[in-house]
Amino acid sequence: VQAGGAFNVVGLAAGDYRVSASLPGNGPAAVDVPGVVLGQDYDVDLELKTPGVLSGTVASTAEGEPIAGVSVTRADPTAQTDSDGNYVIAGAKTGAYTVYFTDNVGAYLDLTTAPVAVQTAQTVDLDVELEPAAIITGIVRDSAGAPLPGVTVTSDEFGRPAQALSDFEGRYRLAGVPAGTYQLVGRPSEEPASSTSVETAGPTVTVEPGQTLDGVDFALDAFSVISGSL
């Protein structure tokens, strides 16, 4: 589309066509052009609705300071907060949709809002505050004391737990953990490096909002093997 909204589609074969255009956040406008004949020009005008805008600021419930790097998602379009905690989704889809706020670092708890309605050409301001989350780190080892990679560590056996995967040094980092008391659980992968261990309940820890708890190490139990003859 050129300046002023003009467009020109050339080289069409004879036939039936539908011309459509769209803007982010709004459904396309379309016009059917049946019976196109070779050598003839056709004028088609399309009118698009102006998309809505969703903007606001994300701050901490503890200090009230803005939070940078938070992903804001509403009906597919995603924006990230800047250093001042501000975000803008310029092509906000019209209608009522849930908005998701996710801290990519895991220092704050994720937030899901009720559906937020945005109308055509409407600007909606939505400021939110995120609660500080806890972070738990440590090393997972096998029964012989060697670091275990590829172990999924979760903060609880049930519900919607935070989880992390141990690296090649057995280190894990559980982020985005709500304040509370949890028993850690280690679930080994099926890789040969960890196939000699079984799922094991780890230590029970208590964390406060915004706390980083380091050095929570634990070992997985080894497989037990029973053999004989029949």
Side-chain angles (χ1 to χ4, degrees), residues 48-105:
L48 295 176
K49 296 180 179 180
T50 303
V53 176
L54 178 67
S55 62
T57 302
V58 180
S60 169
T61 58
E63 308 89 5
E65 296 294 326
I67 307 173
V70 174
S71 295
V72 186
T73 304
R74 179 185 179 276
D76 294 334
T78 298
Q80 276 202 332
T81 57
D82 59 19
S83 58
D84 295 322
N86 299 321
Y87 70 91
V88 177
I89 297 179
K93 188 174 182 178
T94 55
Y97 296 92
T98 300
V99 185
Y100 303 92
F101 294 86
T102 305
D103 176 32
N104 299 314
V105 180

Side-chain angles (χ1 to χ4, degrees), residues 33-180:
V33 187
V36 168
V37 178
L38 294 179
Q40 185 172 344
D41 294 337
Y42 295 85
D43 292 328
V44 177
D45 294 331
L46 299 170
E47 184 176 354
L48 295 176
K49 296 180 179 180
T50 303
V53 176
L54 178 67
S55 62
T57 302
V58 180
S60 169
T61 58
E63 308 89 5
E65 296 294 326
I67 307 173
V70 174
S71 295
V72 186
T73 304
R74 179 185 179 276
D76 294 334
T78 298
Q80 276 202 332
T81 57
D82 59 19
S83 58
D84 295 322
N86 299 321
Y87 70 91
V88 177
I89 297 179
K93 188 174 182 178
T94 55
Y97 296 92
T98 300
V99 185
Y100 303 92
F101 294 86
T102 305
D103 176 32
N104 299 314
V105 180
Y108 294 88
L109 300 180
D110 295 344
L111 176 66
T112 301
T113 71
V116 176
V118 178
Q119 304 302 322
T120 300
Q122 180 186 21
T123 297
V124 176
D125 294 325
L126 179 62
D127 298 335
V128 300
E129 291 185 332
L130 303 185
E131 298 181 16
I135 297 175
I136 305 171
T137 68
I139 300 175
V140 184
R141 296 183 171 89
D142 61 18
S143 58
L148 275 179
V151 175
T152 300
V153 180
T154 62
S155 59
D156 207 343
E157 294 187 58
F158 307 102
R160 185 184 175 187
Q163 67 177 28
L165 194 68
S166 62
D167 63 16
F168 287 102
E169 296 179 339
R171 300 183 181 276
Y172 71 91
R173 180 181 182 272
L174 275 178
V177 181

